[in-house]
Amino acid sequence: MASQITPPRGMRDFLPADKRRRERILGTIREVYTRHGFDEIETPVVEDAARLHSGLGGDNEKLSFAVMKRALDGEALAAAAEAGDPLALSDLGLRFDLTVPLARFVATHRGTLPGVFRSLQMAPVWRAERPQKGRYRQFVQCDIDIIGEPGALAEVELLVASSAALVELGLDNCTIRVNDRRLLTALLVHCGFAESEHGAALITIDKLDKIGPEGVAAELATLNATAALQLAAALATWAPLLETGIRLDRATVLTSLPGALREDPAVVEVVEGMVEIADAAFAAGASIRLVFDPSLVRGMGYYTGTIFEAAHPESGSSVGGGGRYDGMIGRFLGQDVPACGFSIGFERIVDLAQLPDSGEERAVALLFDKRASVADIAKVKGAVVRSGASRVRVAKKPKNVRGLLASLAEQGFTHVAHVRDEHVAAPETLSFEALQGS
């Protein structure tokens, strides 16, 4: 028996119907983001290995696929083995996200880009994940970023545009949770965590939806027992509030924070900034619900300010997210450049998206007699293509026409025409019938 032939683990083939749906969703996202002033760019699928492992990508760096150097010899292999450094054999790697390539892109083309650059990228990325449901080794990201805008306008534009894209895809029942990394830092200091413990504490807090408040408190206790008690009290207070979402207004947000933080001028300023963003987004027409979530962390270590994450009631994972990362591009330029971005989790919305009826789309199949000449078939097809049909397929009539028509309907064809001799001379006289079930 022949062995089953499948794609590499964590990667997928897409049949024509699936590919059409994916491209239609991508087209919808692209159209919305373009309407909101974002310009699409393209970057290589590989970047220098040193750049991919420079500390910009957090834990994703460990999941980077390495590309081996050319013309490696035994000496190089032995040296890498002796040093215990397999990456010494690599000079390139597949990109694991679109943010690191964007940072490099901006540094490369800074002289030709506008002072405030609104970037759109929609492309595949690769991570050496352990494949499981909803988690793949190759997947598409849809990113918008604003580079060079230090104020709240960047966050507002990102939230408004992303909200519009989700609504256009029928996902208007999403909720976008908002927090700020500076607020998280203030919370950790308030609870008594040392600065050296902040990274590990944030990683644990980020597990709240998976292990619950008790699990977070227990894990933090191994890091700093006294501080963990303080944070556990805050988590217990937030638990019922997070079920419905904390309204993003100044009084409500400040009331949800531990007492001493409410009086901290720096904390108040951060809260007022989040409220300003929410108010402006609603004024601009954002219809997705925005709420405050003091436990929201976002796993990437490069975030410096506002962070956000989109959730959908039918998805167990977030369907989008992002935040401000003002320090990343400066790693390449030697000077800080304001940056903020939002990414839609494309693979997580493909099945959730409710696309409207495409209306006028007309995909037609032309059925020819088996004796028809190649020239006649090409002539009629060319005329129908020029007439404006969205798709044109030719097929020779089999004995079982009913089976062919059912197959064409399953493939998304909407109409069929039976081509006879008189239609070759006058293709405009073709009569099209609607396909049942299309």
Side-chain angles (χ1 to χ4, degrees), residues 7-28:
R9 291 187 65 230
M11 300 181 182
R12 298 162 292 166
D13 292 325
F14 296 105
L15 293 169
D18 295 326
K19 180 63 174 173
R20 283 195 300 274
R21 176 175 172 82
R22 289 171 68 86
E23 289 300 322
R24 191 172 168 206
I25 294 172
L26 286 171
T28 299

Side-chain angles (χ1 to χ4, degrees), residues 218-237:
E219 193 168 309
L220 287 175
T222 64
L223 184 67
N224 184 324
T226 303
L229 288 174
Q230 293 283 335
L231 188 54
L235 292 174
T237 301

Side-chain angles (χ1 to χ4, degrees), residues 73-96:
D73 56 22
E75 185 178 340
L77 294 172
E82 184 177 349
D85 181 16
L87 287 178
L89 302 175
S90 167
D91 57 354
L92 299 171
L94 290 174
R95 62 190 177 201
F96 51 73

Side-chain angles (χ1 to χ4, degrees), residues 124-200:
V125 300
W126 293 264
R127 295 179 191 170
E129 298 271 13
R130 178 176 297 172
Q132 53 187 287
K133 182 177 174 57
R135 193 177 291 275
Y136 307 103
R137 288 177 171 174
Q138 176 178 318
F139 55 96
V140 171
Q141 287 190 333
C142 301
D143 288 15
I144 51 173
D145 296 82
I146 299 180
I147 311 298
E149 171 54 61
L153 179 61
E155 282 90 338
V156 172
E157 287 196 72
L158 292 168
L159 289 172
V160 171
S162 298
S163 170
L166 293 170
V167 169
E168 195 81 7
L169 294 170
L171 304 178
D172 50 337
N173 53 345
C174 284
T175 297
I176 297 180
R177 300 180 293 146
V178 182
N179 198 8
D180 195 295
R181 274 299 183 97
R182 295 168 294 179
L183 194 56
L184 284 166
T185 299
L187 174 66
L188 294 177
V189 171
H190 165 77
C191 291
F193 287 99
E195 184 175 351
S196 60
E197 298 170 333
H198 286 187

